[in-house]
Amino acid sequence: MKVSQDLSILYYLRYDNNNINGKATICVRITVTGFPKDSFSLGYQVDPTKFDKRAGVVMGRSTEVIEINNQLLHVKGELLRHYNLLKKQGSTVTPTMIKNAYLGVHQEKQTLLQVVDFHNGKFKEKVDKGKRENSTYKKWLTTKDKITAFLSGVLKMKDIPLERIEFSFAEDFFDYLTLTEGIQDNTAMKYLKNTKQLLKLAVQRKWLQCNPLQDYVCSYINPERDILTVAELSALYHKEFSIPRLQEAKDAYVFMTLTGYAYKDAQLLTPDSIAKYFDGEDWIVKNREKTWCRENVPLLPLAKEILRKYKDHPHCVANNVLLPIKSNQRFNGYLKEISDLCGINKNLTTHTARHTFATTVTLANGVPLETVSAMLGHKSIRTTQIYAKIVASKVSEDMQVLKQRFNLKLPESMLSKAVA
């Protein structure tokens, strides 16, 4: 019987195999919308033929029947009363909580590490189904390790109930990460951001009334980002290596500067990733592995030239991929050799390739910020604006050099007339 919009209380019979008298036990099932059902036995045994399932009562007028029906009515009233009391507390109300309240069983409060385990368990399921990356899952495991170490080392606790977390938790956690563990500010802020996300999950699940870290601002210091100039990119493109592994790594890197694809995304590109789009041109149509955001990029002629070069490469054929990219560690090692041989005094990584695409290749050539953001697969255009600032800074630097080199002076005769 539905006693409220979310709560349903139903009486049913449970047939016990060891019951030789043919009777069944009356049980009550509690249902709350959005949560697993829970039930328990009332201990009364009745003749199944005399039990009205729809009304949830025993038929008859004997003293025993009247007593049972009165108790069924009382139980239903008590369950509803506990449901309403729990609702007033502002907490999540589950069938198990209602049952425990009625039976007098102490209901343990949710803790932070329980929320972490719940989140990570769900995330692992998505990883197993190919919905999220295992590398991101490992970062969440590291977040748990950092929270656990902080609780143990600073708060001297194995875990902490959610309602005991205050705003100062974030400040103390940040200090612990940066001062005790020596983690850089930006990295520490990522752990704080993850913690805020966990508490937001607790609020959404109604395990917590409000997020105590909601107003904590996770501020980041934008690091200096290496980007290649047009001259450096041109020198890299035209450089030929006799060693195949270096030539392959160089071509793959140049391809990334022409498409903005990160290492993992470029490594997983397959022939199916390329499609003729609405304009009749070849596009790469793919979701980013990191964020699963769509990252559609039209192929520039130089990028298509690189792909044609490796169309029949043994590694590409065997693995059904477009580029012969090996492990990330080896790839970055090869890039270090390449930068030295090309005389480029910059740290070439897959990140610098992506930064170069955003700045030197696109924004610096008049491609609108919104278009660049879409091609990079950014969730927010605010992320792309970082590159716009880099381009503006580069323009300023170039103009300073121009001021020193370009000094057009008027002839003295014209200067004297201007003064007169």
Side-chain angles (χ1 to χ4, degrees):
M1 177 181 292
K2 205 169 183 67
V3 295
S4 75
Q5 186 174 358
D6 298 318
L7 175 66
S8 176
I9 299 172
L10 173 69
Y11 290 116
Y12 68 98
L13 296 181
R14 186 185 69 203
Y15 295 88
D16 300 320
N17 293 331
N18 59 352
N19 197 328
I20 59 175
N21 58 10
K23 292 187 176 182
T25 304
I26 300 178
C27 298
V28 58
R29 179 182 294 125
I30 308 169
T31 303
V32 178
T33 303
F35 296 96
K37 301 173 183 178
D38 205 345
S39 60
F40 61 95
S41 169
L42 297 181
Y44 292 107
Q45 293 187 339
V46 298
D47 182 349
T49 61
K50 295 183 178 180
F51 185 75
D52 187 337
K53 295 181 180 180
R54 179 173 295 183
V57 296
V58 182
M59 296 181 291
R61 296 183 179 180
S62 66
T63 303
E64 182 184 9
V65 169
I66 294 174
E67 178 186 341
I68 293 174
N69 286 335
N70 286 339
Q71 184 62 16
L72 295 180
L73 187 62
H74 172 75
V75 170
K76 184 174 293 186
E78 284 297 292
L79 291 174
L80 179 59
R81 183 176 69 85
H82 285 294
Y83 170 78
N84 290 329
L85 287 174
L86 290 169
K87 289 285 285 186
K88 287 181 180 179
Q89 294 174 8
S91 61
T92 299
V93 182
T94 67
T96 302
M97 291 173 64
I98 300 172
K99 182 185 78 172
N100 289 342
Y102 171 77
L103 298 175
V105 179
H106 175 66
Q107 181 71 24
E108 292 185 0
K109 300 293 185 180
Q110 286 281 359
T111 65
L112 178 56
L113 291 183
Q114 285 177 341
V115 177
V116 176
D117 289 337
F118 175 83
H119 171 275
N120 290 356
K122 290 290 186 182
F123 201 98
K124 183 62 167 61
E125 292 179 9
K126 295 177 182 178
V127 171
D128 294 340
K129 296 293 185 181
K131 299 294 184 180
R132 299 303 297 268
E133 282 297 302
N134 190 56
S135 58
T136 308
Y137 172 65
K138 290 180 178 179
K139 293 178 181 179
W140 279 107
L141 293 180
T142 304
T143 298
K144 179 184 177 179
D145 292 340
K146 298 302 180 185
I147 293 174
T148 303
F150 167 67
L151 291 174
S152 175
V154 177
L155 301 184
K156 310 301 179 184
M157 305 170 66
K158 292 183 178 180
D159 203 349
I160 182 171
L162 291 175
E163 69 271 11
R164 288 186 57 183
I165 298 177
E166 299 178 351
F167 184 85
S168 59
F169 181 95
E171 297 174 330
D172 295 340
F173 189 25
F174 179 78
D175 289 342
Y176 167 78
L177 293 171
T178 55
L179 302 178
T180 303
E181 294 207 0
I183 294 175
Q184 295 296 319
D185 286 12
N186 281 3
T187 304
M189 280 299 173
K190 290 180 181 178
Y191 291 125
L192 263 299
K193 183 179 179 181
N194 287 349
T195 305
K196 285 182 63 176
Q197 187 173 332
L198 290 168
L199 293 176
K200 180 180 179 181
L201 171 65
V203 173
Q204 291 171 340
R205 290 277 170 174
K206 297 185 179 179
W207 298 327
L208 187 64
Q209 192 166 3
C210 62
N211 188 347
L213 307 188
Q214 180 63 43
D215 296 329
Y216 185 83
V217 179
C218 293
S219 56
Y220 297 92
I221 302 172
N222 290 327
E224 292 294 327
R225 301 172 185 264
D226 279 335
I227 58 173
L228 298 185
T229 64
V230 173
E232 291 170 332
L233 187 56
S234 177
L236 189 64
Y237 173 76
H238 289 98
K239 179 70 174 180
E240 294 293 327
F241 295 98
S242 59
I243 304 175
R245 61 179 176 83
L246 294 182
Q247 183 65 34
E248 293 167 5
K250 187 266 292 188
D251 288 338
Y253 181 84
V254 172
F255 178 86
M256 294 177 191
T257 66
L258 299 174
T259 59
Y261 274 90
Y263 163 79
K264 195 66 175 179
D265 296 298
Q267 185 189 41
L268 297 178
L269 288 176
T270 69
D272 292 337
S273 302
I274 300 179
K276 290 287 184 183
Y277 226 38
F278 65 95
D279 55 359
E281 298 292 332
D282 290 325
W283 287 54
I284 297 178
V285 181
K286 186 180 182 297
N287 289 335
R288 284 194 70 190
E289 292 297 318
K290 180 178 179 181
T291 61
W292 212 244
C293 292
R294 181 67 72 177
E295 190 177 14
N296 296 345
V297 180
L299 282 173
L300 295 172
L302 292 181
K304 290 196 284 188
E305 177 185 306
I306 293 173
L307 294 183
R308 282 195 295 268
K309 182 177 181 180
Y310 293 100
K311 182 179 180 181
D312 298 320
H313 189 281
H315 175 85
C316 297
V317 174
N319 296 279
N320 192 37
V321 293
L322 296 179
L323 295 167
I325 302 176
K326 308 301 192 301
S327 70
N328 194 21
Q329 184 177 2
R330 287 186 180 182
F331 187 67
N332 284 326
Y334 298 159
L335 291 179
K336 179 67 169 64
E337 293 183 57
I338 292 170
S339 62
D340 292 338
L341 293 173
C342 291
I344 299 176
N345 190 26
K346 291 177 180 177
N347 183 26
L348 298 188
T349 66
T350 55
H351 292 296
T352 61
R354 188 168 167 83
H355 301 332
T356 299
F357 172 77
T359 54
T360 306
V361 176
T362 55
L363 288 173
N365 287 291
V367 178
L369 190 66
E370 296 80 2
T371 303
V372 177
S373 182
M375 288 192 292
L376 290 174
H378 285 164
K379 289 183 177 180
S380 170
I381 199 171
R382 288 182 298 178
T383 307
T384 321
Q385 286 172 342
I386 296 172
Y387 298 113
K389 293 177 182 178
I390 295 174
V391 173
S393 174
K394 186 67 171 60
V395 170
S396 177
E397 291 177 7
D398 293 343
M399 288 303 293
Q400 291 298 327
V401 174
L402 180 63
K403 286 180 182 179
Q404 296 175 5
R405 294 180 179 176
F406 188 78
N407 188 14
L408 184 64
K409 294 183 179 180
L410 292 172
E412 291 187 5
S413 57
M414 294 182 64
L415 195 61
S416 60
K417 289 181 180 180
V419 173

